[in-house]
Amino acid sequence: MSPSASMSKDSCHHCGLPATGVAACEGEVAGEPQRFCCSGCLEVCRVIHAAGLDSFYDRLHAQENTLAPPPDAPSDLDQYDLDEVQREFVSPLSGGRRGAHLLVEGIHCAACVWLIEKALRDLAGVTRAEVNLARQRLVLEWQPQQVALSAILRRLAALGYAAVPFDPETAEGQVQCSNRRLLFRMGFAGFGAMNMMWISIALYAGTFSGIETEYKQFFHWVGFAIATPVLFYSGGPFLLSGWRGLRLRHLTMDLPIAIGALTTYAYSLWRTLHGGGEVYFDVVTTFIFVILVGRYLEAMARRSAASAALHLMELQPRTALRLDESGQETRVAVRKLAAGDRVLVRPGDKIPADGRVVEGDSHVNEAMLTGESQPVHKSCDARVSAGTVNGEGVLKIRVEQVGGDTTLARIIHLVEVAQGSKARVQRLADRIVPWFVAVTLLLAAATFLFWMRVDFDTALMAATAVLIITCPCALGMSTPMSIVVSTGVAARLGVLIRNGEALESLSRITHVVFDKTGTLTEGRMRVSRIECVDATLDEAQLLALAAALERHFTHPLARAITLAAEVRGLVLPAAEQLQAHGGLGVSGQVGGELVWLGNARLMAQAGVDIPDGMAALREAVESAMGVAVLLASGGRVLGVICLEDQLRSGARELLDRLRAQGLGVTLLTGDTRRAARHLQQQLGEMRVLAELLPEDKAREIAALQQLGERVLMLGDGVNDAPALARADISIAMESGSDVSMECSDVVLMGSELRKLPYAIEIGRQALRTIRQNLLLSLAYNLTLIPVAMAGLVTPVLAAIAMPLSSLLVIGNAILIRRRMGRFVEMQNGR
């Protein structure tokens, strides 16, 4: 075990504190002389070396030094009321409310969740307080005019929980620090339990060989000396949590454990003082040790299950090669990059920020963001994302987004929010928890009174076993662990799920509704033909006029027209009073004239007659799955712009799979009936509704819901937002508009249709696992509580059984990864 490189020769080899005081000493560890601040540190290091844990302890120190966890409780809570400080982690909400995500240390059971939520909701001004057990996360919303954030944090501190603003990196440091403290408490309890075992053996042997009273009394006092520090140091968190709960008139799950430990300890001490009978100091030390082992294993399992966000954080490189105006390279921290900087990315390096390629040609591996295994070709003007890996070429990139604005940061945020959310079924479990502890105490009291007819010792052991073995932790973790694992697996497959309720809804869908443009088709429209009707305009002038109207809109047609004008280098006239007509087109003032650009229905609305030649051309284009956009001004058609699109790869296969699963399929489009029928011929049998306005799409979804259908809507445009909001579950393509992604519950990264079955299957696996976990936790309690009440389980066996139920729930949730892996392989035909 080697000291940290940062320690001086006058630092303690174990803890790093100055080893210069009166208590300082020297000693050998692993054959090497070392200096310590006290003899206690020397003995701890010798125990660690004797147990063969040197390398593990060194890794623990390394993690602690690099992660720099936040403090247990900020010393100045008033600083969090400053607007400059809140700007870093607080979001403004409607109605003047504010929202924040806080990391809360000390949450370890469902009763903690209930206690925090109830205590905060009782505060005037707090409008939302939801705790996620698996992630130890608090979603908080409050009215700053009624209650200050510092007052909320003080309320948490009074409950015994330290809260700090959530940040992914510091959160990981906090978890490591908390686990390290838990490990030391567990190690101390284990050391005490091992020594108590020798005392118990001596007393047990003396029972048969005839031990003298003074020796028996001596061993009782030795047991007392060992059990006391174990109870009050290793078991201290249980005692403090139970006491705080009683003081605040709330029952926590640590209360039964504290009562069981203190009762057994007090009875054994009373027996020792009066010099007769049996003592149970060994029971106290052993079941505290076993419970701490279970807590530590639960913490490790939770961290493994929730590793998706940590995996995504590891994608972000820490440094970048920034290029100055002369082309000189300087290695800087990524956080020092700014929009407009140029960076150099060598082969095999990670791209440090979102931006565009300004020089170079390469392939970039985007699998970690989109789930797509094939590298994507990138050349000049191609967009690249932070965290993706450059292939064989050298790229020079102009930075556009950094920090929290990058695609990677937004994905991490979505995953964190989803993993911290609650599903509807979890709220039912949360309502059960407050009554669970009260029932536990009543059952323990009934058990004690029943067995008192036999003898006090039997009654005490049976009641203690009931207090320890009954635990709602598995019940409380059944849902959040499934949500954490499911959303993490989904993120790795390129499916971003916003909340736990979306997972439940995905598992129950019966009907899938598609938009056409940008969803079943590529949405990469390109201008294929321009026809002028007005002899005073040529193709370039007609295209410039159309682009002037469309350049501020994000619809695929608008992007295609604007791009065509940019490629030709056209100068666009100024356009004013722009207005979008949902499902029809756009209009605006250009040069003092009102100009209309859109489909035949917009022309009819504007009172413009379409020439016969233009109508025939429009019908021919739409029959080939294209789009004909008419440009009109002054009551007449100026020309037509023809655009082409193509089906997304795998669209037909996707619809065939959905139909095979018995799901209904509907296509809603604003295009003409002719174009919709052509698409239907290519995609197979499905319900098709064409020439719909955005509000018409929403009405069609409502009609399906009235028929009892659970509707999933897949869209990508601004005009899809009302329908996405109306559907039971909404999915947006990453290539779609910001509005559609904001209205959606799920986002498909990479805009690949093959990921839709992944999303549906993840929802089904999550709900199935939640139900299995709830049954596991209920079966555990219904089976073992009667056994403990019958006196067939000792407190030590109860302490072993208690964490097993939680570990079973966590393990079953982790199996979602394996099941989804098999599903993906089957879908890909491997």
Side-chain angles (χ1 to χ4, degrees), residues 453-465:
R453 297 179 302 174
V454 179
D455 65 77
F456 186 87
D457 287 15
T458 303
L460 178 64
M461 291 296 100
T464 303

Side-chain angles (χ1 to χ4, degrees), residues 495-498 502-503 506 714 729-733 740-741 743-748 759:
V495 179
L496 297 184
I497 298 173
R498 291 182 180 273
L503 282 170
L506 278 169
L714 182 65
I729 182 76
S730 54
I731 299 182
M733 313 292 278
S740 65
M741 286 192 282
C743 291
S744 66
D745 302 301
V746 181
V747 177
L748 300 185

Side-chain angles (χ1 to χ4, degrees), residues 191-212:
F191 179 78
M194 285 188 292
N195 282 279
M196 280 300 305
M197 182 173 60
W198 294 111
I199 303 300
S200 299
I201 291 173
L203 289 171
Y204 183 76
T207 302
F208 295 96
S209 59
I211 187 171
E212 295 183 9

Side-chain angles (χ1 to χ4, degrees), residues 53-135:
L53 297 174
D54 293 334
S55 59
F56 173 76
Y57 186 78
D58 285 341
R59 288 199 302 272
L60 201 61
H61 260 303
Q63 290 172 345
E64 182 186 17
N65 291 334
T66 57
L67 289 168
D72 290 348
S75 56
D76 184 14
L77 293 178
D78 291 328
Q79 65 177 314
Y80 291 118
D81 294 333
L82 300 175
D83 290 338
E84 308 85 64
V85 176
Q86 289 194 7
R87 197 173 297 121
E88 299 294 326
F89 65 95
V90 173
S91 304
L93 303 174
S94 60
R97 295 176 301 126
R98 295 184 180 181
H101 286 253
L102 303 178
L103 181 69
V104 184
E105 185 182 358
I107 300 173
H108 53 76
C109 72
C112 298
V113 173
W114 174 81
L115 174 60
I116 292 173
E117 290 182 348
K118 188 176 187 307
L120 294 187
R121 286 170 184 167
D122 289 342
L123 283 176
V126 175
T127 58
R128 182 187 179 193
E130 288 190 0
V131 177
N132 182 271
L133 173 61
R135 302 293 288 155

Side-chain angles (χ1 to χ4, degrees), residues 130-370:
E130 288 190 0
V131 177
N132 182 271
L133 173 61
R135 302 293 288 155
Q136 296 187 333
R137 194 81 38 77
L138 168 63
V139 180
L140 182 68
E141 295 178 6
W142 74 98
Q143 286 284 0
Q145 297 84 1
Q146 298 181 36
V147 62
L149 180 58
S150 60
I152 299 173
L153 296 180
R154 286 191 177 92
R155 177 62 171 164
L156 280 170
L159 296 174
Y161 302 97
V164 292
F166 172 74
D167 175 77
E169 293 187 6
T170 56
E172 179 60 20
Q174 182 81 339
V175 170
Q176 291 285 356
C177 185
S178 177
N179 289 344
R180 181 173 181 266
R181 287 197 297 269
L182 179 58
L183 184 63
F184 278 127
R185 292 182 189 274
M186 182 185 73
F188 189 85
F191 179 78
M194 285 188 292
N195 282 279
M196 280 300 305
M197 182 173 60
W198 294 111
I199 303 300
S200 299
I201 291 173
L203 289 171
Y204 183 76
T207 302
F208 295 96
S209 59
I211 187 171
E212 295 183 9
T213 303
E214 57 268 25
Y215 289 114
K216 183 178 181 180
Q217 190 69 8
F218 170 75
F219 283 128
H220 285 177
W221 282 110
V222 172
F224 164 77
I226 295 173
T228 300
V230 170
L231 174 64
F232 292 102
Y233 171 67
S234 296
F238 305 122
L239 305 181
L240 288 174
S241 176
W243 166 246
R244 289 193 189 103
L246 285 176
R247 187 163 51 88
L248 297 168
R249 298 181 181 178
H250 294 300
L251 301 179
T252 68
M253 199 53 234
D254 285 335
L255 182 60
I257 297 173
I259 291 174
L262 285 174
T263 303
T264 308
Y265 174 82
Y267 175 71
S268 300
L269 178 59
W270 183 81
R271 285 288 194 184
T272 301
L273 290 172
H274 289 77
E278 300 298 327
V279 298
Y280 300 99
F281 292 122
D282 56 336
V283 173
V284 174
T285 56
T286 304
F287 85 66
I288 287 178
F289 170 65
V290 172
I291 289 174
L292 289 173
V293 170
R295 289 272 172 95
Y296 185 75
L297 292 177
E298 286 178 27
M300 294 295 101
R302 284 202 302 266
R303 183 170 179 267
S304 173
S307 61
L310 178 61
H311 173 73
L312 289 170
M313 283 188 290
E314 291 172 349
L315 299 178
Q316 177 65 58
R318 302 300 180 192
T319 61
L321 288 174
R322 185 167 60 190
L323 300 174
D324 58 21
E325 294 182 358
S326 64
Q328 291 294 318
E329 303 173 8
T330 306
R331 185 166 293 279
V332 297
V334 168
R335 64 177 178 272
K336 292 186 177 181
L337 293 178
D341 286 347
R342 290 192 310 146
V343 295
L344 179 72
V345 183
R346 293 169 176 162
D349 286 352
K350 292 179 180 177
I351 294 174
D354 288 5
R356 289 188 182 274
V357 177
V358 295
E359 184 180 329
D361 190 281
S362 184
H363 286 80
V364 174
N365 184 355
E366 298 180 339
M368 61 290 297
L369 294 184
T370 66

Side-chain angles (χ1 to χ4, degrees), residues 366-388:
E366 298 180 339
M368 61 290 297
L369 294 184
T370 66
E372 175 55 55
S373 58
Q374 294 297 322
V376 181
H377 180 253
K378 302 290 183 180
S379 57
C380 192
D381 204 41
R383 282 193 59 82
V384 291
S385 299
T388 55

Side-chain angles (χ1 to χ4, degrees), residues 502-504 506-507 758-768:
L503 282 170
E504 286 189 72
L506 278 169
S507 66
Y758 299 168
I760 296 173
E761 181 63 20
I762 286 170
R764 291 173 175 172
Q765 290 287 351
L767 188 62
R768 187 180 301 124

